[in-house]
Amino acid sequence: MRVLDDREPDDTMTRVFLGLLLSANIVVGILSLAPVAVAEVGDLALKDLKLFDTNNNSVESIDIDSLAYLSVSLHNNKSVMLPYIVVFEIRDENGYTSSIKWQKGELPSSITTFARISWTPDSSGMFVVRVFAVSDFEEPIVLSDVISRTIEIKYPEVEESQIDLVSIPDSRTDKLGLESLRDYALKRINQDRAKYGLSPVTLSENAAAQEHANDVFSTRIISHWMTNGEKPYMTYSRHGGLGAVTQNVATSGYVESYEDCIQGKNCAKIDPLESIDKLERLMVYEDEACCNNGHRDNILDKYHTHVSIGITFDDYFFVIVQNFENQYFQFDSPRLEGNSVRINGKVHQELSVPMEVYRDPKPTASEYEAHKDDNSYGLGELQGCVTTVYISDSTLHCIETSTGRILPFYFASNWMVYSRGDYIQIDISIPIREIAPKPGAYTIVLYLYDNAGEKFEALTYSFTR
């Protein structure tokens, strides 16, 4: 929001436009004040505009997304009780107002007090805080001069104790605080989820996202396909994934001129924290035109419990991969046992029957070349559904929703699903020859029901034959 006031701070205010901003930066109203009466500016003396951290230490700058407090002293120069509203306006380095807050009160004659507001900046840069006082918002009288100060908002520094040595593709290495960057990316994700009333996700140790980030860095092409032809759920299963996974990939930096930058062209170097912040904002708040809100919907999916984060970069190119996971099962990784796939463990939600089986072509470099520029990916072609021979529900069908095709049922060789107190124990074995009769990459998808009876993906287990 742009404040319609381009006076210098020491000019007499004749009209004020205030945007009422919540902490979530949602404009809830615009208050246009009547022309203010010109009182003796200085009825209320403002001074000592200071910034404090949460330990009540006076500071000159703070980190992005850190809670801080702005405080100013005010002294009543009049001989009567003086009602006042002290207004704090915060402008970014482009002159746009990012926040306006105020504090009301009454001050006896010749008394000094303080006005104090909280502030949690959500972007970096140099900000100007302007403070002034008026009598009220209905028939305002200017009571003070405008005082101001500049405050720097910074990204948190990566401490040496947190720095790992990370190998970068193309034999480039650098000391990068990879764990600190992942923690920061996780924080930004959970801040966005919190704004929409969603529970936070936990950092997963699955290595698929990091392998994918390294792969994208090596090609500098955004793709959901690995150069070996794998799709995200295939790589996730290969690394022992225990749930369902959906992926976001984003990059920033130089693409066409990358080699020129490496050779010494005057290119601005990438700040990894700024890249994380910028890409998270784009995926959540500017994703519709690019990607039909696919990235946004993934970040804000209510069923996600975990996320693994892959980050790879050098001075001129940055890659982040977010693999969001639905982890609801407690079991060892689904595994191949002889001629069967065995799924053995426990879960607290109701199991949805039947399971589904999808087939992709066997992952190869040629598959990557065919699909590397695809904007999205799916689970391949539905082959059929898996259930138990003991289910005789005549309304149960295996239907491909996109085409309406009725597909075959496959029957598990072992199907044990029974309640044990507060959880459900499952032990299911599925014959490979039945569900995977020809070479390819096969994915078993298992669904659960939430408390409202809605179905969601809880397992995407892939194997190749």
Side-chain angles (χ1 to χ4, degrees), residues 407-424:
L407 297 166
F409 274 109
Y410 303 107
F411 297 104
S413 57
N414 180 61
W415 186 287
M416 296 181 65
V417 179
Y418 52 93
S419 177
R420 300 193 66 174
D422 63 343
Y423 66 89
I424 297 172

Side-chain angles (χ1 to χ4, degrees), residues 17 33 59 85 104 138 245 313 359 380 384 395 404 449:
F17 290 83
L33 302 183
V59 294
I85 300 175
K104 292 183 178 182
E138 287 72 33
V245 65
F313 70 100
R359 179 186 177 275
T395 65
Y449 288 110

Side-chain angles (χ1 to χ4, degrees), residues 134-372:
V134 294
S135 58
D136 55 60
F137 286 154
E138 287 72 33
E139 296 180 0
I141 299 173
V142 175
L143 300 179
S144 75
D145 291 321
V146 176
I147 65 171
S148 64
R149 66 170 292 176
T150 300
I151 296 173
E152 182 181 10
I153 306 303
K154 304 182 298 183
Y155 285 91
E157 302 219 353
V158 177
E159 298 186 11
E160 290 295 324
S161 60
Q162 298 175 308
I163 291 178
D164 308 314
L165 187 64
V166 181
S167 178
I168 300 301
D170 298 336
S171 300
R172 286 184 292 275
T173 61
D174 196 359
K175 283 188 174 182
L176 312 176
L178 182 57
E179 294 307 316
S180 295
L181 294 177
R182 283 176 176 156
D183 288 343
Y184 182 73
L186 178 67
K187 177 181 178 181
R188 298 296 289 120
I189 289 168
N190 283 331
Q191 285 174 338
D192 285 324
R193 289 178 64 86
K195 288 178 182 178
Y196 291 87
L198 299 170
S199 58
V201 290
T202 302
L203 192 63
S204 166
E205 296 300 320
N206 188 280
Q210 187 59 53
E211 182 179 351
H212 202 117
N214 291 346
D215 201 56
V216 171
F217 184 93
S218 69
T219 62
R220 296 190 296 283
I221 297 173
I222 296 180
S223 181
H224 289 295
W225 274 255
M226 295 268 289
T227 53
N228 65 5
E230 286 181 342
K231 292 159 81 170
Y233 46 86
M234 301 176 192
T235 314
Y236 176 70
S237 292
R238 177 163 57 81
H239 283 284
L242 298 177
V245 65
T246 48
Q247 184 183 83
N248 287 344
V249 181
T251 68
S252 65
Y254 303 87
V255 178
E256 295 181 0
S257 59
Y258 178 81
E259 294 301 331
D260 293 333
C261 296
I262 292 296
Q263 297 299 322
K265 181 182 176 181
N266 187 21
C267 302
K269 292 185 178 181
I270 285 174
D271 182 323
L273 290 170
E274 289 184 357
S275 294
I276 290 170
D277 195 56
K278 171 186 174 183
L279 294 174
E280 177 71 12
R281 286 177 179 276
L282 288 173
M283 287 190 286
V284 175
Y285 300 106
E286 300 179 37
D287 196 47
E288 184 173 7
C290 150
C291 308
N292 199 29
N293 280 335
H295 300 102
R296 173 189 171 90
D297 292 344
N298 197 14
I299 292 171
L300 301 180
D301 190 308
K302 65 181 179 180
Y303 296 115
H304 291 333
T305 61
H306 293 71
V307 62
S308 56
I309 299 172
I311 295 174
T312 305
F313 70 100
D314 62 7
D315 287 339
Y316 307 110
F317 194 69
F318 179 93
V319 181
I320 185 168
V321 175
Q322 302 169 334
N323 277 359
F324 286 95
E325 304 177 28
N326 297 347
Q327 288 194 26
Y328 290 86
F329 287 100
Q330 299 175 29
F331 54 13
D332 295 331
S333 176
R335 58 190 182 274
L336 299 177
E337 290 187 351
N339 292 319
S340 296
V341 176
R342 186 181 182 192
I343 303 172
N344 181 22
K346 60 184 181 181
V347 68
H348 293 277
Q349 284 81 8
E350 180 185 354
L351 184 69
S352 171
V353 180
M355 293 183 283
E356 295 173 345
V357 180
Y358 292 82
R359 179 186 177 275
D360 286 286
K362 198 168 183 176
T364 61
S366 60
E367 278 297 303
Y368 169 76
E369 290 297 328
H371 296 285
K372 64 183 180 183

Side-chain angles (χ1 to χ4, degrees), residues 88-107:
F88 294 79
E89 179 199 6
I90 302 170
R91 295 185 180 185
D92 65 20
E93 55 193 18
N94 296 314
Y96 288 87
T97 296
S98 63
S99 178
I100 294 181
K101 293 185 178 182
W102 56 86
Q103 183 174 312
K104 292 183 178 182
E106 291 185 339
L107 192 60

Side-chain angles (χ1 to χ4, degrees), residues 336-341 430-437 442 463 465:
L336 299 177
E337 290 187 351
N339 292 319
S340 296
V341 176
I430 306 167
I432 293 176
R433 290 179 181 175
E434 292 290 327
I435 65 172
Y442 290 84
F463 63 94
R465 64 163 308 181

